[in-house]
Amino acid sequence: QSALTQPRSVSGSPGQSVTISCTGTSSDVGGYNYVSWYQQHPGKAPKLMIYDVSKRPSGVPDRFSGSKSGNTASLTISGLQAEDEADYYCCSYAGSYTLVFGGGTNLTVL
Amino acid sequence: EVQLVQSGGGLVQPGGSLRLSCAASGFTFSGYWMHWVRQAPGKGLVWVSRASTDGRSTNYADSVKGRFTISRDNAKNTLYLQMNSLRAEDTAVYYCAGGYPTWFDPWGQGTLVTVSS
């Protein structure tokens, strides 16, 4: 159950787009379409942003989108806004009835 | 309003036990899989355990298997995590979360568990 690999930090200016990657293996990200993404502001509980690779829960802006290619999943945030500044975590089903998170990515809006 | 309200955290000595609770309201608790996720101070999220809608199917991360037990009481709309043989590395904020087998929504507010002598 090794953690998925995410960049420690990314940044972008308001209005720009950023993409956060989440790399695993064929035993987790690559093997199932069960990748989800969470946004966490400091001191707060995480919030679901994307599930099943690319599905967006109601209430999540369509600026947030998810995709997957091979063993790497991606979260893209377009039209960056100041309130998007947060930590982002990916999570994948890892087989054997277990789930695994990525190490987290800190997004800075410049 | 959809809510998960947690209780039961605190300071415990190594080798000790603690039980966390998570009370649900505003949604059909019995229709949701339930999970526990933890976050050590300054670190990332780690999945701990999950229970099926009826509680008959439960799964655990290797790091807690044999020491932690997840359970639920659908009549009381409450999820539990019994933690035994606690270690310093179990120190974390513990979140309960509802959802499906492979994603989490909604989340509780989190409760801090500190394992220290």
Side-chain angles (χ1 to χ4, degrees), chain A residues 24-95:
Chain A
T25 69
S26 58
S27 296
D28 38 61
V29 174
Y32 311 94
N33 287 322
Y34 295 133
V35 176
S36 53
W37 289 90
Y38 302 86
Q39 176 191 66
Q40 187 181 34
H41 288 107
K44 301 295 187 181
K47 175 186 176 183
L48 176 68
M49 305 304 285
I50 296 288
Y51 67 99
D52 293 352
V53 176
S54 60
K55 297 177 182 177
R56 200 171 44 249
S58 61
V60 173
D62 59 7
R63 303 185 294 104
F64 292 83
S65 62
S67 63
K68 190 186 85 166
S69 177
N71 297 336
T72 298
S74 299
L75 174 71
T76 298
I77 309 170
S78 59
L80 265 180
Q81 300 181 3
E83 58 262 37
D84 298 334
E85 186 162 293
D87 292 327
Y88 291 83
Y89 294 90
C90 61
C91 181
S92 174
Y93 180 66

Side-chain angles (χ1 to χ4, degrees), chain B residues 19-20 29 34 36 49-51 55 58 60 69-73 78-82:
Chain B
R19 189 176 85 155
L20 306 183
F29 178 74
M34 295 299 297
W36 289 99
S49 180
R50 71 180 185 184
T58 58
Y60 300 90
T69 301
I70 188 172
S71 62
R72 62 190 296 165
D73 186 336
T78 302
L79 176 73
Y80 304 99
L81 184 67
Q82 178 66 44

